[in-house]
Amino acid sequence: MERIDMNAITRFETSGHSSKGNQLKWKAGDYWYKADYMGYEGLAEVVVSRLLRSSNRKDMEFVRYEPAQILYGNRWYAGCKSRSFLAEGEDLITAEHLIRQFTGRSAAEEMARLTSVGERISYLAENVMEITGLKDFGAYLAAVLEIDAVFLNEDRHTNNIAVIYDAEKDSYRLCPLFDHGLSLFSDTSVDFPLEMNWEECRRIIKAKPFSVDFDEQTDEADLLYRKQMRFYFGEKEIREALDGLEELYESQALHRVEDVLLWQRRKYRDLFSG
């Protein structure tokens, strides 16, 4: 695990990338580093990334996160790092920014006016496909929502659904799957303290951005664009995904994540093989 001093590196200022505030974030060389802000976001990023390797997604289709310990000020933070997925001349364009730029309207506000979950999903996907020419974006969005349901990502919104734009070629490509930090009840500072039973956490968690219900989002997306994900991990892979993280996180958090993943695997057995 890497330990890095960020005091000589300029913090990256983010805006609108999380509904719960902005993590401490830096870019050093080809890598991005994020320090935990609400609880165990780095643990969540690393575990989801490792388990996506046991799925039908190829490596280039998701961001690989690894644990890191970050010194900032006089404090060591647990966190994670990931290699930048942007090539030279490319920019990350969020769905919110893209739709606002081409239609003059906020995607989030327009979706709020629609009465059904299916209409909201279709609005976002069809607008992005029309603007970018990415005909697979609907299927991509369905995969994002299935992943968020399995890993209980409570912070998927129109500023962390994105595409990549190459200005020189005036072309777009799909963005690797990213931003799972507020999954697996990682917000222990506000909504899901470690003292709270994870079953109670499961009862109160709310999804985004099309419905507060994870199942309703995935059901509607699958009706529109078919099921996209297939997972192959079981108990062995879950324990392997947690390996080494005891250096950064207390056992209570690790046990909670393991229990939640085993439950979610049973709940979404239709997305699993074996």
Side-chain angles (χ1 to χ4, degrees), residues 168-221:
E168 184 177 340
K169 298 177 182 177
D170 190 25
S171 64
Y172 295 86
R173 65 181 176 94
L174 294 174
C175 183
L177 301 162
F178 74 108
D179 207 347
H180 318 289
L182 283 172
S183 301
L184 300 168
F185 307 126
S186 68
D187 172 13
T188 59
S189 64
V190 179
D191 288 334
F192 310 111
L194 282 173
E195 297 74 29
M196 182 184 289
N197 184 290
W198 68 264
E199 293 179 333
E200 177 61 23
C201 296
R202 188 166 52 84
R203 282 192 285 271
I204 65 173
I205 194 169
K206 294 182 179 180
K208 290 186 184 74
F210 308 107
S211 168
V212 297
D213 186 280
F214 287 104
D215 295 342
E216 188 174 28
Q217 287 193 145
T218 56
D219 289 347
E220 293 297 327

Side-chain angles (χ1 to χ4, degrees), residues 4 6-7 18-19 47 54 58 72 82 96 128 138 161 170 183 197-198 220 223 225 236 242 268:
I4 186 168
M6 288 299 182
N7 284 300
S18 172
S19 60
V47 168
S54 295
K58 299 175 183 176
Y72 183 60
S82 60
E96 179 66 34
V128 172
I161 299 169
D170 190 25
S183 301
N197 184 290
W198 68 264
E220 293 297 327
L223 282 173
Y225 305 111
K236 175 176 174 287
L242 291 164
Y268 290 102

Side-chain angles (χ1 to χ4, degrees), residues 28-165:
D30 291 334
Y31 282 86
W32 286 99
Y33 294 81
K34 295 192 291 186
D36 290 352
Y37 171 71
M38 303 296 294
Y40 52 77
E41 300 101 305
L43 186 160
E45 294 278 27
V46 171
V47 168
V48 174
S49 164
R50 289 176 175 177
L51 291 176
L52 282 174
R53 299 174 202 175
S54 295
S55 78
N56 59 336
R57 295 286 132 179
K58 299 175 183 176
D59 275 3
M60 73 283 292
E61 294 181 298
F62 60 89
V63 177
R64 296 182 69 153
Y65 293 92
E66 293 300 335
Q69 196 169 27
I70 299 163
L71 178 64
Y72 183 60
N74 296 317
R75 175 180 170 185
W76 282 99
Y77 291 83
C80 62
K81 69 173 187 175
S82 60
R83 188 184 290 275
S84 174
F85 51 77
L86 295 176
E88 187 174 351
E90 288 185 332
D91 290 303
L92 183 75
I93 310 294
T94 69
E96 179 66 34
H97 178 79
L98 185 76
I99 290 173
R100 187 186 293 271
Q101 179 182 0
F102 281 87
T103 70
R105 299 184 295 273
S106 161
E109 291 175 3
E110 289 300 304
M111 289 192 301
R113 296 189 180 98
L114 300 173
T115 56
S116 80
V117 174
E119 286 177 318
R120 294 170 197 149
I121 294 171
S122 179
Y123 170 85
L124 188 75
E126 298 301 322
N127 269 281
V128 172
M129 287 191 281
E130 182 178 351
I131 294 166
T132 65
L134 294 172
K135 300 304 181 186
D136 292 336
F137 185 81
Y140 169 88
L141 184 59
V144 169
L145 296 177
E146 289 164 9
I147 291 167
D148 286 349
V150 169
F151 295 108
L152 294 164
N153 184 355
E154 60 162 330
D155 200 42
R156 185 68 61 194
H157 47 80
T158 55
N159 272 313
N160 64 16
I161 299 169
V163 295
I164 296 171
Y165 178 63

